[in-house]
């Protein structure tokens, strides 16, 4: 069974739950990287490394934020969840996206004003 089948098996019957969403984000993180796929394949065989246990880590982070901010609700951003998932499974940090500087368009060349008298 490959890593994606293992994730799907752990997601089965848990649609619309935090564990299901962790599985989806984990798939996105590991997609296309054979070394990471192999590592997560091995981790998913251990009960303490299940997507539900990872979701519990994210919930603990949310609870901590809730206590600190004392609001009615709290949000764990995808970036925060990505970091927690990577730490939980011992995956490398996400590669920093190259910032591309956008050059402002060049100022149009000054046009010489045309006078109607010049046309006569």
């Amino acid at each position: 069974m490959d890593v994606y089948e293992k994730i799907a098996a752990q997601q089965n019957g848990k649609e619309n739950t935090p564990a299901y969403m962790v599985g989806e984000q984990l798939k996105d993180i590991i997609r296309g990287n054979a070394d990471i796929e192999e590592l997560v394949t091995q981790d998913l065989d251990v009960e303490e490394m299940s997507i539900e246990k990872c979701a519990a880590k994210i919930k603990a982070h949310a609870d901590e934020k809730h206590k600190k901010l004392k609001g009615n609700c709290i949000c764990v951003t995808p970036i925060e969840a990505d970091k927690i998932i990577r730490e939980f499974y011992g995956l490398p940090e996400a590669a920093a996206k190259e910032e591309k500087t956008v050059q402002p368009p060049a100022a149009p060349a000054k046009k010489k004003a045309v006078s109607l008298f010049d046309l006569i």
Side-chain angles (χ1 to χ4, degrees), residues 12-13 32 37 59 64 66 72 75 79 97-98 107-108 113-116:
N12 191 25
E37 288 177 355
K59 168 88 167 76
E64 186 178 309
H66 191 256
N72 291 333
C75 174
I79 293 170
K97 292 183 181 179
E98 293 180 23
V114 178
S115 170
L116 291 177

Side-chain angles (χ1 to χ4, degrees), residues 21-58:
M21 300 307 164
V22 165
E24 292 301 298
Q25 193 162 357
L26 182 58
K27 289 177 196 176
D28 289 341
I29 291 170
I30 65 174
R31 189 168 283 118
N33 189 326
D35 294 334
I36 293 176
E37 288 177 355
E38 181 60 33
L39 178 63
V40 174
T41 299
Q42 294 170 9
D43 286 345
L44 291 175
D45 288 334
V46 179
E47 178 63 31
E48 290 301 311
M49 300 297 286
S50 70
I51 59 175
E52 281 199 38
K53 298 290 183 178
C54 187
K57 288 280 188 185
I58 295 171

Side-chain angles (χ1 to χ4, degrees), residues 79 82 86 92-100:
I79 293 170
D82 181 90
R86 286 177 184 278
E93 290 182 18
K97 292 183 181 179
E98 293 180 23
E99 290 186 32
K100 296 181 180 178

Side-chain angles (χ1 to χ4, degrees), residues 25 58 61 65 75-83:
Q25 193 162 357
I58 295 171
H61 176 74
K65 280 179 71 172
C75 174
V76 175
T77 66
I79 293 170
E80 290 173 304
D82 181 90
K83 183 178 177 193

